[in-house]
Amino acid sequence: MRRFHFAWLGLVLLVVQPLLAKTYYVGSCKTGAFSTIGAAVAAVPAGSTIDVCPGTYPEQVVIAQPLTLQAIASGGSSQAVIAMPASGLTTTSSVRFGTVAAQVEVTAGPVNITGISVDGTASSSNCPAVQDVGIFYASGSSGTLNEVETRYQSCNSAGIGIFAENGSEVTTSVTIENSNANLSSWADIYVCSPQPSTLNATIKNNYIIVNNGYGIATDCNTTATISGNVVYANYAISGIELIAPSSTVTGNAVTGGDSGIRLDVAGVRVSGNTVIGASFGITVNAAGSVISNHIGNSDFGISLAGSGATVQTNVITQGQIGIEFQCVTATVSGNTINGPATGFDQFPGTSTGTNKFYNVATLTTGCS
């Protein structure tokens, strides 16, 4: 009986050992490592971990199986950079745009990437003619980006730092957290699900410097949670752009921009955010909820361009106009307006609650 137990144990070990995740290496800091990231992700078994030595890797990477890709420290550095290859990028299909060129494309899941930088700096000889993307989670893929950096995806006016989409009927989830997404020409982080609510995107605790487009943009039918991000949006169309209806935006800090936060579709909830120095602090173009935000030193604290919004318990300080109604109806109550030259502009004459005004030269102006 004991011999049977030992034989059975040996059989179990033979079966389990190949299934155990193994760590592989890329770069010069480990003996026997792969020389390129692309070679490693194509060769290792699914579920493996790939540790990338510090260095610059001018290549295009396609990850087509579940794995973990992460930078490691060696020789006083932890900077592993995927750079634009001299030969340029081949294109791939996108349900949203038709064709894109991605420096890193993920087609499986879960694929988790940590500590990797993706630099889109390009010359006229290797700059793709189509939409260039730093990291692309393609339809059907999933995973987490943590402590990554994308920068200079700006070959043309449509560059995107991090792009996640899903055209599959099977729900996928992508988390983008604790990362830097900087200076892309169109959007630093963009998520889109053409299928109804089959992409769950969590975008949290990232630091974003906007070039001239959008910092974070949700589109299509994505279910998005956007929280704790810092968006420096001085040259942005908007720091946070909300076109997906199932978006919840909480606890973000946005500085500058034409619009700090802009709601373009009904059903969005924006609460507990701080917006400073935007031309329009929060722009509301549809019947969303704007609750308990702090908007400071914006020309227009909250601008209403669509009826039916709920605007409650916000604090609006300094600037020119507290709330710009543009003669639309909205539920406006419990707000505190301190310091703008005009409290309510183009006010239709009704609101559903009491608001507080301090240090305001003109409380309201009527519809013209």
Side-chain angles (χ1 to χ4, degrees):
M1 180 66 72
R2 181 169 297 177
R3 284 196 300 271
F4 175 78
H5 285 163
F6 280 125
W8 176 251
L9 178 61
L11 179 61
V12 170
L13 289 175
L14 286 174
V15 172
V16 171
Q17 280 179 341
L19 300 179
L20 295 177
K22 184 178 178 181
T23 299
Y24 298 84
Y25 297 94
V26 175
S28 59
C29 70
K30 295 287 184 178
T31 303
F34 290 92
S35 60
T36 68
I37 298 171
V41 301
V44 304
S48 298
T49 296
I50 300 173
D51 287 350
V52 182
C53 298
T56 299
Y57 301 87
E59 55 180 307
Q60 185 174 18
V61 178
V62 178
I63 304 175
Q65 60 179 336
L67 56 79
T68 296
L69 181 69
Q70 59 188 21
I72 59 173
S74 178
S77 175
S78 63
Q79 192 169 50
V81 181
I82 297 174
M84 186 75 73
S87 58
L89 302 173
T90 60
T91 60
T92 189
S93 61
S94 161
V95 295
R96 174 63 178 87
F97 296 109
T99 303
V100 298
Q103 292 180 256
V104 178
E105 180 185 7
V106 177
T107 63
V111 171
N112 303 320
I113 303 175
T114 301
I116 301 291
S117 295
V118 180
D119 191 318
T121 302
S123 64
S124 59
S125 61
N126 64 356
C127 199
V130 300
Q131 201 141 19
D132 58 312
V133 179
I135 302 174
F136 175 34
Y137 275 80
S139 182
S141 66
S142 62
T144 296
L145 297 177
N146 182 34
E147 304 288 1
V148 305
E149 180 176 58
T150 59
R151 57 184 185 245
Y152 306 127
Q153 279 71 41
S154 55
C155 272
N156 49 61
S157 60
I160 303 174
I162 299 168
F163 172 29
E165 69 174 7
N166 190 32
S168 168
E169 294 182 358
V170 177
T171 299
T172 61
S173 297
V174 174
T175 296
I176 305 163
E177 62 184 2
N178 308 315
S179 296
N180 300 330
N182 299 332
L183 300 173
S184 295
S185 57
W186 186 69
D188 288 298
I189 298 175
Y190 176 71
V191 293
C192 172
S193 173
Q195 287 285 344
S197 301
T198 61
L199 174 60
N200 294 324
T202 301
I203 304 169
K204 62 180 182 179
N205 302 331
N206 301 288
Y207 182 82
I208 298 166
I209 300 175
V210 187
N211 187 357
N212 55 18
Y214 306 99
I216 299 170
T218 71
D219 201 355
C220 316
N221 296 294
T222 305
T223 298
T225 301
I226 303 170
S227 63
N229 301 282
V230 176
V231 183
Y232 183 75
N234 265 8
Y235 305 106
I237 297 171
S238 59
I240 300 176
E241 177 79 9
L242 305 165
I243 305 175
S246 299
S247 298
T248 302
V249 184
T250 59
N252 302 280
V254 181
T255 301
D258 184 37
S259 290
I261 300 173
R262 189 165 73 182
L263 291 70
D264 284 336
V265 66
V268 175
R269 180 181 175 89
V270 175
S271 64
N273 303 281
T274 300
V275 180
I276 303 296
S279 296
F280 297 84
I282 299 177
T283 300
V284 186
N285 293 328
S289 299
V290 179
I291 298 174
S292 299
N293 301 280
H294 181 195
I295 303 106
N297 199 30
S298 295
D299 292 338
F300 299 81
I302 297 174
S303 177
L304 303 174
S307 297
T310 298
V311 180
Q312 294 179 326
T313 61
N314 301 281
V315 176
I316 302 170
T317 56
Q318 301 305 311
Q320 296 301 311
I321 294 170
I323 299 177
E324 173 63 64
F325 281 81
Q326 299 190 65
C327 299
V328 303
T329 58
T331 300
V332 180
S333 64
N335 301 283
T336 299
I337 299 174
N338 186 353
T342 300
F344 290 172
D345 189 48
Q346 294 190 6
F347 179 48
T350 59
S351 63
T352 58
T354 301
N355 299 276
K356 298 178 181 179
F357 299 89
Y358 301 101
N359 306 302
V360 175
T362 303
L363 293 184
T364 64
T365 62
C367 292
S368 55

